[in-house]
Amino acid sequence: MSPLVDIRGLELGLGEMEILRGVDLRIGRGEAVGLVGESGSGKSMLALALMGLEPDGMWRRGSVRFDGRELIGQGDREMSRIRGRRIAMVFQEPMTALDPVRTIGEQVAEGPRWHFGLSRRAARDRAREMLEKVGMPEDRFSLGLYPHQLSGGQRQRVVVAMALSCGPELLIADEPTTALDVTIQAQILDLLCAVTAESGMALLMISHDLGVIAETTDRMYVMRAGEILEEGPTEQVFREMAHPYTRALFEAMPSRDLMGRRGGGT
Ligand SMILES: Nc1ncnc2c1ncn2[C@@H]1O[C@H](COP(=O)(O)OP(=O)(O)OP(=O)(O)O)[C@@H](O)[C@H]1O
């Protein structure tokens, strides 16, 4: 079977400037894959280019296959059917993903309503179920709450519930814990690992922190200046540290004793 995501020779740029320089990356069905690299190395651009969400004016070359189908060249309509439903994303700052003037129930219900045409009531049931799944049961967190009534960690849980609401095959988490208090970070990583593993969803975990990648992934890619420098099973990349750049990222890890959250371990 073809991998869920198969990116080959992906280049992205703006005018003369090259941001991604021929990236190859694969994600198997249900696989947890890490992408690590320093700030500005192109990690977020890779995630956006995968979904056809690169900023206006940028060019894209190469191949991005999702479930065997080429995405480069697809129209907006086709891409908007895939985004949210088959590929969902969780970003660093939950408030950018949430609408401050709409209730959390409405926001979690929106994806299933739009993608599956569920009735208001059925979508609300779905929202209730998703919020419960992320540790926000209705008896403690009413669907009528607004984002500002929640803590940062609770908001990120709502964003995860939104991402899960249509049962995507791939969840992309781009620095999902960077904006959160240290004590909450581990809880959100645990949650992401649990929900993806439980439903057989693939996970692309993007972070500048090797500790996060070690905790959450089975296989990983190391990126610098728009190129993949190293790839392999997470445990092997950690053991070998073949490239000095990877070693430098390791030295910069805030915590080196966190490992193996998704089962298996490193
Ligand atoms: N809108 C834009 N227009 C032009 N260049 C951009 C734009 N956004 C990002 N870039 C450039 O693309 C490169 C990759 O940025 P990207 O945000 O993907 O890095 P990153 O690895 O995700 O870093 P960070 O962890 O800081 O988000 C950077 O050199 C950046 O300057």
Side-chain angles (χ1 to χ4, degrees), residues 105-106 109 113 117-127:
E106 282 175 87
R113 247 174 99 71
L118 294 189
S119 69
R120 198 174 284 274
R121 192 187 175 135
R124 205 178 155 79
D125 288 345
R126 178 86 181 157

Side-chain angles (χ1 to χ4, degrees), residues 6-245:
D6 192 356
I7 297 177
R8 290 180 194 234
L10 181 63
E11 298 176 21
L12 181 79
L14 187 64
E16 299 280 288
M17 180 175 70
E18 266 197 286
I19 294 172
L20 300 177
R21 304 155 189 265
V23 169
D24 288 345
L25 181 141
R26 270 168 280 286
I27 304 172
R29 287 158 214 273
E31 190 183 24
V33 170
L35 179 62
V36 72
E38 66 194 338
S39 179
S41 55
K43 307 181 298 295
S44 299
M45 284 298 142
L46 176 57
L48 293 175
L50 195 169
M51 298 201 294
L53 288 176
E54 66 280 3
D56 281 348
M58 287 194 185
W59 49 261
R60 225 173 21 149
R61 282 198 293 261
S63 170
V64 174
R65 285 185 173 270
F66 180 75
D67 195 17
R69 185 145 133 239
E70 180 61 55
L71 297 188
I72 291 192
Q74 294 286 352
D76 280 350
R77 228 170 117 203
E78 194 49 38
M79 287 309 298
S80 59
R81 274 199 211 117
I82 292 176
R83 282 184 222 123
R85 185 157 85 86
R86 303 192 66 187
I87 307 177
M89 224 173 150
V90 174
F91 297 97
Q92 177 172 336
E93 174 44 66
M95 274 319 262
T96 57
L98 293 171
D99 182 341
V101 298
R102 289 168 65 226
T103 66
I104 61 171
E106 282 175 87
Q107 296 188 61
V108 179
E110 186 177 80
R113 247 174 99 71
W114 195 78
H115 284 292
F116 302 134
L118 294 189
S119 69
R120 198 174 284 274
R121 192 187 175 135
R124 205 178 155 79
D125 288 345
R126 178 86 181 157
R128 188 176 292 120
E129 186 194 328
M130 290 300 118
L131 284 164
E132 179 152 359
K133 206 176 194 135
V134 300
M136 296 183 62
E138 201 185 11
D139 54 357
R140 285 175 37 227
F141 299 95
S142 151
L143 298 188
L145 288 170
Y146 288 89
H148 73 267
Q149 296 173 295
L150 301 173
S151 69
Q154 289 161 355
R155 283 182 205 140
Q156 197 62 307
R157 286 178 189 269
V158 174
V159 174
V160 174
M162 285 166 71
L164 299 177
S165 64
C166 294
E169 291 135 276
L170 171 65
L171 182 67
I172 302 177
D174 188 355
E175 305 274 8
T177 58
T178 310
L180 303 175
D181 288 350
V182 176
T183 49
I184 307 298
Q185 290 182 359
Q187 293 175 16
I188 297 293
L189 292 180
D190 275 340
L191 175 69
L192 286 168
C193 290
V195 293
T196 51
E198 185 188 308
S199 49
M201 204 179 284
L203 174 68
L204 177 62
M205 177 64 76
I206 299 179
S207 182
H208 64 280
D209 182 351
L210 263 178
V212 169
I213 300 297
E215 283 178 78
T216 56
T217 66
D218 310 318
R219 208 160 55 75
M220 63 181 281
Y221 292 82
V222 180
M223 194 166 191
R224 185 183 67 180
E227 285 176 320
I228 301 294
L229 285 188
E230 276 197 67
E231 66 155 297
T234 304
E235 182 258 335
Q236 183 189 324
V237 172
F238 267 78
R239 197 176 54 232
E240 294 175 1
M241 296 273 166
H243 202 286
Y245 176 74

